[in-house]
Amino acid sequence: LGKLHAHGHGIGGYCLSCQRLFSVEMAALIAERGADTKIVGMTPLRCPAGDGHRTQFTISAPLKSG
């Protein structure tokens, strides 16, 4: 997570239970799970609206400058 954040990547989530998209605050996720946490095999993200754990996430690429 730390390397993704350092290179400008972000994470977005989708809740399968309530069918909502949500954004993930990278700094908060790193504080909660640790900078060395690997994406592969990471425990599911919690849906902020429904508090469910049936979620999926995507990694967004950093914006190109120039």
Side-chain angles (χ1 to χ4, degrees):
L1 291 175
K3 287 182 182 179
L4 285 174
H5 185 56
H7 291 287
H9 293 274
I11 294 180
Y14 177 74
C15 180
L16 298 168
S17 298
C18 65
Q19 300 179 350
R20 293 180 190 212
L21 294 172
F22 59 92
S23 60
V24 177
E25 176 60 45
M26 287 294 286
L29 185 61
I30 290 169
E32 178 184 319
R33 300 195 180 187
D36 293 334
T37 299
K38 297 184 185 315
I39 291 291
V40 175
M42 185 172 74
T43 57
L45 303 172
R46 180 173 297 180
C47 174
D51 205 28
H53 286 92
R54 289 189 48 219
T55 59
Q56 298 174 336
F57 65 88
T58 58
I59 300 169
S60 60
L63 297 175
K64 279 187 159 182
S65 59

